[in-house]
Amino acid sequence: MLLPNILLTGTPGVGKTTLGKEVASRSGLKYINVGDLAREGQLYDGYDEEYDCPILDEDRVVDELENQLSEGGVIVDYHGCDFFPERWFHIVFVLRTVNSILYKRLENRGYSEKKLKDNVQCEIFQVLHEEALASYKEEIVHQLPSNKPEDLEDNISQILKWIEQWVKDHSS
């Protein structure tokens, strides 16, 4: 059976991981968190002193994911999307969170003041939504609100419905 690949993207703290793991467990699709993948495989290319974090080696990440994504049935979770091959994804969901809620979530993660400010600004300017629109066909990019628990349930059911319809449309 053919299964779709889904990209979940958005500013850190918008709820990609919670949503991705839940959709994966309810749909049977495989969930991949690119941050975890990079950590496990040490897929880094240096260190960013300013942000106090390793720099992702995007080419190695793409190489690492290529086989799994060519088979289909994968949910990829990452806060960037412009380096993935366009052909990988059948749909892209950009999660959006209200700034005040996002600020609290990132504060709870212990983000530095600079990291807090930059990420909230990233959300204000819709950086990830713009990046998704620049990287993929507009008709496959969808925004989802991610502010409260009800949003999570709505988003899960919306994505599950989409998967079901996609499978129907692509079965011979």
Side-chain angles (χ1 to χ4, degrees):
M1 180 166 72
L2 273 180
L3 292 170
N5 290 328
I6 297 170
L7 175 61
L8 297 179
T9 190
T11 310
V14 292
K16 299 179 295 294
T17 303
T18 308
L19 178 62
K21 286 181 171 168
E22 198 50 50
V23 170
S25 82
R26 295 195 204 178
S27 66
L29 267 61
K30 180 175 183 176
Y31 169 79
I32 297 176
N33 178 309
V34 173
D36 293 346
L37 179 85
R39 234 183 331 279
E40 287 155 19
Q42 287 299 299
L43 307 176
Y44 299 126
D45 186 19
Y47 198 81
D48 186 326
E49 298 298 336
E50 190 184 1
Y51 287 101
D52 191 28
C53 67
I55 298 163
L56 195 68
D57 186 332
E58 296 174 351
D59 293 337
R60 285 177 62 207
V61 167
V62 168
D63 291 345
E64 188 74 28
L65 289 172
E66 180 67 58
N67 289 341
Q68 296 179 70
L69 277 122
S70 62
E71 288 165 21
V74 181
I75 298 168
V76 173
D77 156 359
Y78 194 58
H79 57 255
C81 64
D82 59 356
F83 65 93
F84 298 123
E86 187 183 349
R87 62 184 150 75
W88 276 4
F89 299 108
H90 300 96
I91 196 160
V92 176
F93 292 105
V94 182
L95 272 65
R96 302 297 313 276
T97 299
V98 175
N99 307 327
S100 55
I101 296 172
L102 183 64
Y103 189 91
K104 280 194 192 86
R105 288 181 190 169
L106 295 177
E107 207 174 31
N108 291 338
R109 288 185 179 185
Y111 275 36
S112 70
E113 196 54 45
K114 176 173 179 42
K115 223 169 160 181
L116 272 171
K117 245 206 300 274
D118 288 353
N119 279 298
V120 170
Q121 227 166 21
C122 183
E123 186 63 9
I124 291 169
F125 294 121
Q126 302 192 28
V127 172
L128 270 308
H129 185 235
E130 294 297 324
E131 187 177 302
L133 289 172
S135 306
Y136 303 95
K137 289 192 187 87
E138 199 173 330
E139 60 268 21
I140 74 161
V141 176
H142 303 274
Q143 296 191 73
L144 296 174
S146 180
N147 300 304
K148 50 193 194 295
E150 301 87 83
D151 290 340
L152 177 61
E153 274 310 315
D154 290 348
N155 292 340
I156 292 167
S157 76
Q158 194 179 329
I159 295 172
L160 291 174
K161 275 193 196 105
W162 179 87
I163 294 169
E164 197 181 319
Q165 188 58 52
W166 190 94
V167 169
K168 263 189 206 138
D169 294 345
H170 293 82
S171 60
S172 39

